[in-house]
Each structure stands twice: as structure tokens, then as C-alpha cells.
Amino acid sequence: MNIILLGAPGAGKGTQAELICTHLSIPTISTGNIIRAALKSGTEMGLKAKSFMDEGKLVPDEVVIGIIKERLAEDDCANGFVLDGFPRTIPQAEALDAMGVVIDKVIDIEVPDENIVARMSGRRVCEKCGASYHLVYKKPENDGICNLCAGTLVQRKDDHPDTVMARLDVYHKETEPLKDYYSKQGKLAIVEGQEEIAETSALVLKEIEA
Ligand code: AMP
């Protein structure tokens, strides 16, 4: 099954993507994680993306489309995948269609803007493997340490409140029109993000099994 997770930054896409990939045994592909890994290893693409990312702006379409094209060609995507953070613009969605990638379902996790900033301030990510946590909603077993790889948990620079506001603005202008795009293709399912992660997960799994 080929799935896209849509939603504002901080809506919980990453956490729900992890759940779906465990449930269906398919990989999660997060363009944000791929770009952060490229930045960490100092590749040209990573360095180019840095200024856009730090300001809460989108990395140019041609860069992320190239990333996705390469990643989807890998063997582990043959039985399906979950896209987390791609597409984020109409041209990205059109590029996916042009590649002949058939998307089965698009799940949009809706969280009101006023809840997003509060959620993002508590978000922490593992600097080693990229797993995400939350100081209130998804605590690690040991403070500041990743459950999966024992890496150190840090706050992403682009999760600071000013950048979050910029990212929300970009989300409404550039990404939200994708709801209409996929609704017209009859693929859109909307899930209201719940206070408890497990409650949102139950709604997401219901949509996948529908
Ligand atoms: P994320 O981890 O998905 O929130 O992505 C972090 C940042 O990476 C975004 O704010 C963008 O700067 C960049 N990025 C990730 N995915 C995309 C995409 N599909 N299109 C453009 N920029 C992206």
C-alpha cells in the first residue's frame, strides 16, 4: 500500500508514520529526515538545503523531487511505503503522478494552528536516528535519551516558535491545496488529531483498513 501523510508541521505525521510502517511492514520515507541526514554528513545537497530549512522555508521542488525519485527506486519500496512530508506542493504531487507512482490513500491529520506551537515546543528528536518524542505526549523511557538507539534527544532549530509560525504560513499557502488535489482523486481521508497519540493512531489505522 502506498500512503501519503499530510498535515501541518507538528500534527504528528512522523509518529503516525512509524506506527503505519510497523503495522504494514513497509518503510517510512521522510524527506525532512533525508535532508537532515545529508546536512549532517555535509553533502552539497544538505548544505544547499540548510538555509531554507533554518528559515522554515521549503527546499526547492527539484531538489526534493530528485530525493524522492532516488528513494522510491530502492528495493524496500516495492511492497509499499509511507510518505511523511512529501509532497508539500502541487508541483511535487504532479511529479509523483508523472513518475507513475500510484498512491492508494492520503491521510490528512488535522490539528488547529493554536495547538501546533504548543506541541512543537515539546518536540524532541534523536540526533542520531531521527526518531521523534514529546516531553508531554511521547516521553522517552530515559530523559533525553532515544529508546531506539540511545542517541541524544535535541530540539530541532526549526521547531523554535518563530520558525514554527513561518512553517505554518508556508503550510497553509503551499501544502494545504494538496487536500483538494487528492480529494479530487478520491484518495483523501481526514483524521482529527487527538490529544492522546494512541487515539489518533486508532483513527489512522481505521482509515488504512477501510
Ligand atoms: P520536516 O521534518 O518534514 O518537518 O521537514 C523539515 C524541513 O525540510 C522543511 O521545513 C523544509 O525546509 C524541508 N523539507 C522537507 N520535506 C520537504 C518537501 N517535500 N518540500 C520542500 N521542503 C521540504
Side-chain angles (χ1 to χ4, degrees), residues 31-32 36 53 57-59 64 85-86 88 92 156 167:
T31 36
R36 277 184 289 278
M53 223 166 174
K57 292 181 183 157
L58 293 183
V59 172
V64 279
F86 185 96
R88 261 177 154 104
Q92 290 177 21
R156 274 166 47 178
R167 292 170 69 196

Side-chain angles (χ1 to χ4, degrees), residues 2-85:
N2 300 337
I3 299 167
I4 290 174
L5 281 181
L6 278 183
K13 296 190 297 296
T15 303
Q16 298 306 329
E18 281 169 29
L19 168 103
I20 300 171
C21 79
T22 309
H23 189 73
L24 297 179
S25 300
I26 52 176
T28 291
I29 299 166
S30 154
T31 36
N33 282 351
I34 295 173
I35 297 168
R36 277 184 289 278
L39 187 55
K40 215 168 143 194
S41 48
T43 68
E44 200 188 326
M45 181 274 279
L47 296 174
K48 246 191 227 165
K50 186 181 181 336
S51 58
F52 294 99
M53 223 166 174
D54 284 351
E55 287 176 34
K57 292 181 183 157
L58 293 183
V59 172
D61 284 337
E62 62 273 19
V63 176
V64 279
I65 290 167
I67 292 173
I68 280 292
K69 218 175 205 166
E70 256 179 44
R71 183 63 186 88
L72 291 182
E74 288 178 33
D75 291 347
D76 65 335
C77 294
N79 295 322
F81 50 79
V82 180
L83 292 180
D84 162 19

